[in-house]
Amino acid sequence: MQKMNAQITRKNHYVPIWYQKRFLSAPGVGQYYLDLEPRQIKLPNGNFKNIAGHVRLQPSQCFCQKDLYTTQYFGFANDEIEKFLFGKIDNDGTKAVRAMADQDLEGLHKSLETFFEYIDTQKLRTPKGLSWLKSKYPSVTHNQLLMEMQSMRNLHCTLWAEAVREIVYATKSKIKFIVSDHPVTIFNPACPPHSQECIYPNEPRIEMKATQTIFPLDSDRCLILTNLDYASNPNLSDPKVYRPNANPFRSILMRVDNTICKRELTDSEVAMVNLIIKARAHKFIAAEKKEWLYPETFVTGSWAEMGKVLLPPEDELYHYGGEVFGQYEDGKHFYHDQYGRSRGEPEYLKKEVPDKVGVNDPCPCGSGKKYKKCCRGKSKEECPSSSERSIRERNLKFFEIFSNILGLNKKKDWAEIRRELTDQKIVDIHKAVVALWPPETDIMSLLPRPDLKVSRALYSGLLDPRVTYQDVSGFSFYADEILVINPFPNPNIIQKEYNPIDNPGQYRHETLKNITFMLSLMPLIEAGRVNVIPDPTIFNPALRKQIMDEAEKRRDQVKLDDKATATMEKLAKEDFMRFVFNGSEEKLRAYVKRVNPQISEEEIKEFLLFVKAKNEQDPLAMLHPSAPGEQSGQLIMSHLSPNFELGMFLAQATGSFIVAHHPYRWSEICSSVNYFYGDYSSPWGDIEKHITNFDLDFIHFLDRKDLLSALNDGNLQHLRLALKNIWGAVQTAQPINVSQVGDLIQELNLAREKMGQAIDKFMKRKNEGRSEYLRVARTKGKVSSKIAPAGHSTSAVYRLLLAHAGHDKYLKSLPLSLYVERG
């Protein structure tokens, strides 16, 4: 075994030797290698002397680090990543880089995709790239980091492939392009080297419109990738705003013959490019001549001014943009606009951003809150988009649309609405879903962002009006806002045979159920206390596939006991009986005779009258007669949503704690706490122990006005404030002082006592003098918690956040989750 270890590769080149040689004029010629952080030695007289920054070395001696890619298993070193992963990547990369540099169209046709895969890998494989990746995970071993690198190495390919490609030349310049220890250089004019976005190991996000990518191909040729929006309009008011449809991992169409290759740079322009490369390097740069290593001696100017040299010529942009229409072999057509969208930009969902907003005006983001309590004083990255209709505004519009379709605004009773629920109405309702939530919706830009001043909960449970409303309305007194997944199916991603627009008859039961779901939560939606959000995977096929793949890995671990399935079975049985009772008289007769062959005709008639009366009284029963044959069948769906990975992803992306209302989901959450094994003791352990089977009262309302009134009643906010303080506290690794934990527990107990007294008074006032029914009711429940300072943890979720969150402000850990059991 020692002999085998002696043969492994321990010297890992993170900038390949073959790539370095492309910057040398002849074989065997060395290069000057500059250390940007030169060492100091102490002289005998006590003074310090800088060691020479640059030395003459061969490429084999440069840009390498011992064991950078070496993994360790059972104490033995392994170099398979160096040999097999990077061996193939470099072999393919050298051909792809050569084809790009030479503009070999036949070679590019074969290797353009490989080229982008290569530079994406090159961006991650450097010490800076690996440090950046490591910073996105709360804790990761070296072995795990290298595995994550392999999972994320195609992150930017789609956006680069849709960018304007230009190769600029230094063939007539005395100064040539240099090599850095991070060869894929990222530039944004609004993000100078000392900005927050550029603090090591960070870089400006490539999704930003004004972000450009620089990749020298050799000493004379440099590739520059520019987002089309910025190339067309360099005078953007906000260079950090994201380009449209910035989702990664999409399939796209690429031209290989439209690279712009007309600009010869002057000496000063090449020096500007080199200065940008040097400023974004980590520790080392190299060049054949040492004077090229000091571009600052040739040029001066601001960061933004230097960046102007990177802009492609305006008169060559006609090669880019436009629309693509095509046809598959089976006759189906497809369309893509310049940003890869299949339906273009829905202008009707846009809205104008006001120039000035008063502190008491509604917030432009559409949250329903006052500006001073929402986005005031925050950066754009900390706020949801204000240029599109918000999730809340779309939900309110959807309510208006389906109210018109069903006749709710004409004050029809619910039985009449059910009798008149035709196939065409079901089609129209789902067409509204399509219009309000088109395929390329940037849902992550519309979701709320983490805010320490807001206690936001993500509901994880059954999406069913018989369950969800009680769960959500009861907990609405204990959180500032609750996010709930929208159960409405989006026809954009459903095959024709199951699509509610193409086959509406099978969606009668689900449409009734989902309309009831939205109606029950609408007062809370209007008040901004509940946000019913569409499942993000509807708009992001790559995210959907990644989440499904992770769920598939856990399939064999799923253990459902009687407790986990009890509620779902009960609801499913109710739905089945509704389906049976919706049958024609002939079918009902056949059904009852099959169940009880001895039944009399008189008893059958009584049964039919019973069914009719029951259907009238049951708000979810279908009253419109079903079509005969197969069309009478109903799709009966059960949603336990979001699933584990999606829930963790959404919670961290929106700054929410999870409120689980299902025992199976709670078991998944508990298993993800990363201090689960070992002797580690949580500094918040006493609070977690205290909030275990913690008795809690939930208050429920029959009247909408009573609910809204109670939400604003200061006497009913004690527990919300106490939980909010706990949520804010546990987001730090340690308590502020030894008494903080005890103080929070004492505050929680006192708040529960005050809340109970407030509920008593509220119920007495609202129910006084009523004997037939109560306007306000109370149920008992228990709450348990998991509190982990380092957060619930799974590497898969951090990969999802890195690729799909759409911003860097997501929670780096999820420190708190709650489990609610209603009595």
Side-chain angles (χ1 to χ4, degrees):
M1 187 61 72
Q2 289 179 345
K3 182 178 180 181
M4 186 176 71
N5 279 347
Q7 294 174 344
I8 73 168
T9 304
R10 305 291 293 271
K11 183 181 179 181
N12 303 142
H13 282 83
Y14 50 86
V15 179
I17 295 173
W18 64 263
Y19 177 77
Q20 296 179 56
K21 289 180 176 179
R22 294 183 64 84
F23 293 80
L24 302 177
S25 58
V29 175
Q31 60 187 348
Y32 286 95
Y33 190 55
L34 175 63
D35 187 342
L36 299 175
E37 300 174 359
R39 294 180 295 111
Q40 288 185 327
I41 59 172
K42 189 174 183 179
L43 301 175
N45 62 4
N47 294 330
F48 288 88
K49 178 183 178 181
N50 288 335
I51 300 295
H54 57 261
V55 292
R56 187 83 170 178
L57 298 172
Q58 290 297 315
S60 61
Q61 300 171 287
C62 303
F63 304 114
C64 55
Q65 183 174 316
K66 184 179 179 183
D67 288 338
L68 184 62
Y69 308 134
T70 304
T71 54
Q72 295 282 340
Y73 294 101
F74 305 107
F76 298 105
N78 183 293
D79 66 348
E80 288 186 357
I81 289 179
E82 171 78 1
K83 282 185 177 178
F84 298 110
L85 176 65
F86 290 130
K88 183 179 187 313
I89 287 171
D90 284 330
N91 183 58
D92 295 341
T94 185
K95 299 173 187 175
V97 170
R98 186 187 309 120
M100 178 62 74
D102 296 341
Q103 282 299 287
D104 171 11
L105 297 186
E106 183 178 350
L108 280 176
H109 182 74
K110 298 176 183 177
S111 64
L112 185 57
E113 184 177 345
T114 303
F115 175 80
F116 289 117
E117 290 174 356
Y118 170 74
I119 62 172
D120 217 344
T121 304
Q122 179 60 74
K123 185 176 185 298
L124 277 181
R125 72 192 284 185
T126 66
K128 181 179 180 180
L130 289 172
S131 294
W132 172 80
L133 186 61
K134 187 174 184 178
S135 71
K136 301 302 179 181
Y137 294 77
S139 60
V140 65
T141 66
H142 186 65
N143 285 10
Q144 291 169 335
L145 178 64
L146 295 177
M147 293 300 292
E148 292 303 312
M149 176 196 66
Q150 295 179 62
S151 298
M152 300 304 300
R153 60 190 178 90
N154 292 328
L155 179 60
H156 305 103
C157 291
T158 298
L159 301 188
W160 281 333
E162 290 180 341
V164 174
R165 297 191 305 274
E166 183 189 20
I167 296 177
V168 293
Y169 296 86
T171 50
K172 296 181 180 179
S173 169
K174 295 178 183 178
I175 302 172
K176 305 298 179 181
F177 296 116
I178 63 174
V179 187
S180 96
D181 60 1
H182 195 62
V184 183
T185 300
I186 308 301
F187 172 85
N188 187 298
C191 304
H194 299 296
S195 63
Q196 186 67 36
E197 292 86 355
C198 291
I199 295 175
Y200 182 86
N202 295 329
E203 295 188 303
R205 289 187 70 107
I206 290 171
E207 297 94 329
M208 294 176 181
K209 284 186 177 181
T211 295
Q212 295 172 275
T213 302
I214 307 166
F215 182 65
L217 300 167
D218 55 33
S219 59
D220 280 326
R221 293 170 286 194
C222 181
L223 175 68
I224 303 171
L225 301 171
T226 306
N227 287 321
L228 180 59
D229 290 76
Y230 184 52
S232 305
N233 178 23
N235 299 314
L236 292 171
S237 58
D238 185 1
K240 298 181 185 181
V241 70
Y242 282 15
R243 52 147 282 178
N245 200 23
N247 287 339
F249 304 117
R250 287 181 286 105
S251 297
I252 62 169
L253 291 172
M254 293 185 288
R255 284 181 59 181
V256 301
D257 63 342
N258 60 342
T259 304
I260 302 169
C261 303
K262 293 192 173 182
R263 277 205 296 159
E264 281 281 355
L265 302 188
T266 63
D267 289 2
S268 62
E269 288 174 330
V270 175
M272 287 180 187
V273 175
N274 286 345
L275 186 54
I276 293 171
I277 292 171
K278 182 176 181 178
R280 300 302 299 126
H282 170 37
K283 198 172 188 303
F284 300 103
I285 58 175
E288 187 171 334
K289 294 187 178 181
K290 63 182 177 183
E291 57 266 28
W292 300 345
L293 299 173
Y294 303 96
E296 59 273 16
T297 62
F298 297 94
V299 294
T300 56
S302 70
W303 185 249
E305 288 172 348
M306 284 194 301
K308 291 178 181 178
V309 73
L310 305 178
L311 289 169
E314 207 174 312
D315 60 354
E316 292 292 326
L317 297 182
Y318 68 91
H319 295 288
Y320 293 87
E323 300 170 308
V324 176
F325 295 87
Q327 180 176 312
Y328 297 107
E329 289 182 356
D330 62 2
K332 293 181 180 178
H333 294 79
F334 66 88
Y335 160 82
H336 290 292
D337 71 1
Q338 60 195 5
Y339 302 110
R341 296 176 298 201
S342 61
R343 304 197 184 186
E345 191 167 24
E347 291 294 334
Y348 58 89
L349 293 174
K350 298 289 184 182
K351 62 181 185 182
E352 290 187 12
V353 181
D355 295 330
K356 292 184 179 180
V357 185
V359 293
N360 291 312
D361 291 342
C363 189
C365 77
S367 65
K369 302 174 184 176
K370 291 182 179 180
Y371 180 54
K372 66 182 179 183
K373 293 186 176 181
C374 193
C375 291
R376 183 190 183 194
K378 298 178 185 176
S379 67
K380 287 188 176 181
E381 195 177 16
E382 294 175 295
C383 302
S385 173
S386 295
S387 60
E388 294 185 60
R389 289 181 185 266
S390 69
I391 294 173
R392 174 178 169 274
E393 288 168 331
R394 297 187 201 205
N395 283 331
L396 294 176
K397 186 66 178 177
F398 183 53
F399 171 69
E400 178 187 331
I401 292 171
F402 75 67
S403 294
N404 289 330
I405 293 170
L406 297 175
L408 288 171
N409 50 357
K410 297 178 182 178
K411 297 184 179 179
K412 293 182 178 181
D413 66 44
W414 188 240
E416 186 179 2
I417 286 170
R418 287 182 286 148
R419 271 191 291 271
E420 295 176 356
L421 184 61
T422 62
D423 285 359
Q424 186 56 53
K425 288 183 178 181
I426 294 171
V427 169
D428 292 342
I429 288 170
H430 287 89
K431 281 184 176 179
V433 175
V434 170
L436 290 168
W437 301 109
E440 281 85 21
T441 300
D442 184 4
I443 187 63
M444 301 311 297
S445 73
L446 302 176
L447 288 173
R449 306 292 166 88
D451 185 346
L452 282 174
K453 297 179 181 179
V454 176
S455 64
R456 183 176 293 118
L458 174 69
Y459 172 79
S460 180
L462 289 168
L463 301 181
D464 190 296
R466 294 163 288 184
V467 176
T468 311
Y469 175 71
Q470 289 188 62
D471 290 343
V472 172
S473 64
F475 199 80
S476 63
F477 290 89
Y478 305 130
D480 295 334
E481 179 185 353
I482 303 176
L483 305 182
V484 183
I485 299 293
N486 192 330
F488 258 97
N490 191 311
N492 288 314
I493 63 167
I494 301 175
Q495 293 180 5
K496 185 173 182 177
E497 60 184 307
Y498 300 112
N499 197 300
I501 292 178
D502 295 302
N503 293 285
Q506 60 189 327
Y507 275 90
R508 185 165 286 109
H509 175 264
E510 282 301 307
T511 302
L512 271 176
K513 198 165 66 173
N514 292 334
I515 288 292
T516 305
F517 179 96
M518 293 297 292
L519 285 172
S520 67
L521 293 177
M522 194 51 63
L524 293 166
I525 294 171
E526 288 180 298
R529 301 299 292 269
V530 167
N531 216 356
V532 178
I533 64 174
D535 183 335
T537 65
I538 291 171
F539 315 105
N540 191 333
L543 175 62
R544 181 165 65 247
K545 183 180 184 305
Q546 289 169 320
I547 284 178
M548 290 176 69
D549 288 347
E550 292 302 320
E552 181 66 22
K553 293 176 186 177
R554 297 186 290 105
R555 185 179 62 173
D556 295 336
Q557 302 171 15
V558 174
K559 304 295 181 185
L560 293 175
D561 56 20
D562 291 343
K563 183 179 180 182
T565 59
T567 303
M568 299 173 77
E569 286 181 358
K570 176 178 178 292
L571 298 177
K573 287 177 180 177
E574 289 179 7
D575 289 339
F576 174 73
M577 291 311 300
R578 285 191 182 94
F579 170 69
V580 171
F581 287 178
N582 182 240
S584 64
E585 182 175 324
E586 180 183 356
K587 285 186 176 181
L588 285 170
R589 281 178 174 274
Y591 172 77
V592 74
K593 283 185 176 182
R594 187 169 64 252
V595 174
N596 183 6
Q598 308 301 321
I599 193 169
S600 68
E601 181 63 26
E602 190 65 31
E603 288 172 323
I604 290 176
K605 289 180 180 179
E606 288 182 10
F607 172 73
L608 293 176
L609 290 173
F610 164 77
V611 169
K612 183 178 180 181
K614 184 171 178 57
N615 284 345
E616 289 282 343
Q617 295 168 4
D618 182 355
L620 297 181
M622 301 172 285
L623 297 183
H624 190 279
S626 297
E630 292 183 3
Q631 294 301 315
S632 65
Q634 292 295 306
L635 287 171
I636 297 178
M637 304 179 188
S638 181
H639 305 269
L640 178 57
S641 188
N643 90 328
F644 171 66
E645 286 83 10
L646 182 59
M648 298 282 284
F649 168 78
L650 284 172
Q652 289 180 238
T654 60
S656 307
F657 56 89
I658 294 178
V659 179
H661 284 263
H662 196 276
Y664 175 66
R665 186 69 75 238
W666 181 242
S667 68
E668 288 183 311
I669 291 170
C670 290
S671 68
S672 71
V673 177
N674 61 8
Y675 64 74
F676 205 70
Y677 301 104
D679 298 326
Y680 177 80
S681 178
S682 168
W684 306 101
D686 287 345
I687 296 180
E688 179 181 293
K689 184 177 179 180
H690 191 72
I691 312 179
T692 299
N693 293 322
F694 185 75
D695 292 325
L696 215 57
D697 287 342
F698 296 98
I699 184 170
H700 308 280
F701 297 84
L702 187 66
D703 185 82
R704 170 183 176 274
K705 291 182 180 179
D706 287 346
L707 171 60
L708 297 178
S709 171
L711 286 171
N712 296 313
D713 190 324
N715 294 318
L716 292 171
Q717 297 185 28
H718 303 291
L719 265 170
R720 179 175 64 84
L721 295 174
L723 286 173
K724 186 174 183 176
N725 289 336
I726 290 174
W727 169 238
V730 300
Q731 293 188 55
T732 59
Q734 296 288 334
I736 297 172
N737 52 56
V738 293
S739 64
Q740 186 184 16
V741 170
D743 292 343
L744 289 169
I745 291 174
Q746 185 177 356
E747 181 186 5
L748 185 67
N749 290 335
L750 183 60
R752 178 174 60 177
E753 182 182 343
K754 289 182 176 179
M755 186 74 178
Q757 294 169 355
I759 291 175
D760 286 338
K761 291 179 181 178
F762 202 88
M763 289 182 64
K764 183 178 180 181
R765 186 167 75 250
K766 294 294 181 181
N767 293 331
E768 194 168 3
R770 298 183 177 273
S771 56
E772 294 183 4
Y773 65 89
L774 298 178
R775 292 178 64 178
V776 183
R778 161 194 267 148
T779 58
K780 297 288 184 179
K782 292 182 181 296
V783 177
S784 296
S785 70
K786 277 295 176 185
I787 302 176
H792 303 278
S793 180
T794 168
S795 293
V797 172
Y798 289 98
R799 288 198 296 272
L800 298 176
L801 289 164
L802 186 57
H804 304 291
H807 60 88
D808 290 321
K809 299 297 183 180
Y810 55 81
L811 299 181
K812 296 303 183 285
S813 67
L814 179 61
L816 171 68
S817 292
L818 299 178
Y819 174 47
V820 178
E821 295 179 278
R822 284 192 291 110

